[in-house]
Amino acid sequence: MAPVQSFEPISTADSGRTDKNQLFEALIASIHRHPLEWHLIITVAQPGDPTDNATIPWPPDRQQVDAGTLTIDHLESDDTSPARDINFDPLVLPNGMATSDDPLLSARSAVYSQSFTRREGEHKYGSAISAAETKK
């Protein structure tokens, strides 16, 4: 994912703040100013490119395809969104797509599953950011 907008650090004047929601608040303010966008860039492998070891980079001359844009243009609080209890699994793919032979995918799938199971057993607290705050 390649960001469309340039990086904007939080002001150094705020570095002493202890507000636990500082990053959430900065993200909310940014999205209210303008949508945030990222391009999904896919690098096309060539015969012989390693697909079983993510630590070995492919040559920089590989074809890249801009496969679409992710846009975040509004916010939802966890309190009003059905996305709270979702588990990401890199091995669950739509028809027509298949995983590579990278062993990290299986490891990540197992760890994410365990993390989800643990989170499901925890007490559910309200969202750190309220629904009213997302509408500012």
Side-chain angles (χ1 to χ4, degrees):
M1 300 297 291
V4 171
Q5 57 285 327
S6 59
F7 173 69
E8 298 175 24
I10 293 177
S11 168
T12 56
D14 293 338
S15 61
R17 286 181 59 184
T18 58
D19 181 3
K20 67 180 182 178
N21 291 330
Q22 179 180 4
L23 294 178
F24 283 119
E25 291 167 0
L27 177 65
I28 290 168
S30 180
I31 292 171
H32 286 300
R33 284 193 304 273
H34 55 80
L36 300 180
E37 296 181 318
W38 294 262
H39 288 281
L40 173 61
I41 306 297
I42 297 174
T43 302
V44 180
Q46 296 296 312
D49 286 344
T51 57
D52 61 350
N53 186 341
T55 66
I56 301 173
W58 293 347
D61 64 347
R62 293 296 180 253
Q63 177 188 1
Q64 293 191 328
V65 176
D66 186 337
T69 304
L70 170 67
T71 302
I72 299 177
D73 59 5
H74 71 279
L75 301 158
E76 289 287 333
S77 168
D78 283 346
D79 294 336
T80 59
S81 170
R84 182 179 184 131
D85 300 321
I86 293 177
N87 181 36
F88 171 73
D89 187 332
L91 298 181
V92 176
L93 298 170
N95 290 335
M97 294 187 75
T99 61
S100 70
D101 52 352
D102 187 341
L104 286 177
L105 296 175
S106 293
R108 290 175 75 182
S109 178
V111 169
Y112 293 160
S113 176
Q114 185 179 54
S115 172
F116 179 78
T117 300
R118 287 181 179 184
R119 285 183 282 122
E120 278 296 295
E122 294 176 346
H123 174 74
K124 301 291 189 257
Y125 296 97
S127 176
I129 300 298
S130 71
E133 290 173 299
T134 64
K135 308 239 185 299
K136 289 181 184 175

